[in-house]
Amino acid sequence: MLLQEMRTDVLRYAQRMYKAGLTVGVSGNVSAIDRDSNTIAITPSGMDYDELTPEDITLIDMEGQVVDGTRRPSSEKMLHIKIYQSRPDVNAVFHTHSTYATALAAMGEPIPVILAEVAAIAGGPIPVAPYARFGTPEFGDVAVAAMGDKPAALLQNHGVVCAGKDLQKAFLIAVDTEEAAKIYLFSLMAGKRAIRLNDEEIPVLHEIYATRYGQNPLKP
């Protein structure tokens, strides 16, 4: 099986996404890219996450054509392709339908920087991409434009897209985005305006996260 390890990893993280409640039913999709061959491993369209095997993860090229596999790739394949084409720093993409972030997407409401974690992972508010019909190239275009160099964007009336240098990083961004959306919505329900971090603090926290958090090497 071509790119067996990458397909197995995509399956494992897709199942983690489902078990973490970041999507429901058969919605959502996950992919990773092998930059040496520009081959993308992506979850199949409309299949139960609990029943997937590595062989069900489809390999496609940067035009969306199947390279290996017997399953039809995710209907959102162009979203993933557009991100990989425009973001050489990205090697994994999660498209989720997590409850709280999707609620904000339905409201057209960005996630403001009310938490240090949002500043750290995104370096600013998590934006909302304008509505476009899912499964179309335009859907990928608006997502890419909204994301810019950020790791996540809400997709108006639809869901969330998160990207990272690998599957683990992209998954954690999806988790953090949902948690930030949840806290922001709770603050709105409490009837009080959450305190935003000041503009000077945001880039400092983003730099710390990028260079000093976890097992990243310390800057001299």
Side-chain angles (χ1 to χ4, degrees), residues 92-106:
V93 173
F94 282 70
H95 170 40
T96 74
H97 289 249
S98 55
T99 302
Y100 296 99
T102 301
L104 290 175

Side-chain angles (χ1 to χ4, degrees), residues 162-175:
C162 299
K165 66 179 182 180
D166 54 36
L167 284 160
Q168 181 185 37
K169 179 71 73 174
F171 174 73
L172 293 175
I173 289 166
V175 171

Side-chain angles (χ1 to χ4, degrees), residues 96-171:
T96 74
H97 289 249
S98 55
T99 302
Y100 296 99
T102 301
L104 290 175
M107 297 162 61
E109 180 77 18
I111 303 175
V113 187
I114 61 170
L115 299 176
E117 289 76 13
V118 175
I121 66 170
I126 296 175
V128 182
Y131 176 78
R133 186 178 301 156
F134 66 84
T136 64
E138 291 76 21
F139 188 64
D141 289 337
V142 297
V144 166
M147 287 178 76
D149 61 356
K150 288 183 166 54
L154 309 183
L155 305 168
Q156 186 177 311
N157 304 108
H158 190 82
V160 189
V161 64
C162 299
K165 66 179 182 180
D166 54 36
L167 284 160
Q168 181 185 37
K169 179 71 73 174
F171 174 73

Side-chain angles (χ1 to χ4, degrees), residues 63-130:
E63 284 72 49
Q65 299 302 308
V66 173
V67 173
D68 189 58
T70 60
R71 302 298 188 183
R72 182 181 301 164
S74 168
S75 61
E76 305 287 18
K77 64 185 180 181
M78 291 308 302
L79 170 66
H80 296 250
I81 289 169
K82 294 279 187 175
I83 292 172
Y84 291 131
Q85 287 175 336
S86 65
R87 294 282 298 274
D89 60 311
V90 165
N91 296 307
V93 173
F94 282 70
H95 170 40
T96 74
H97 289 249
S98 55
T99 302
Y100 296 99
T102 301
L104 290 175
M107 297 162 61
E109 180 77 18
I111 303 175
V113 187
I114 61 170
L115 299 176
E117 289 76 13
V118 175
I121 66 170
I126 296 175
V128 182

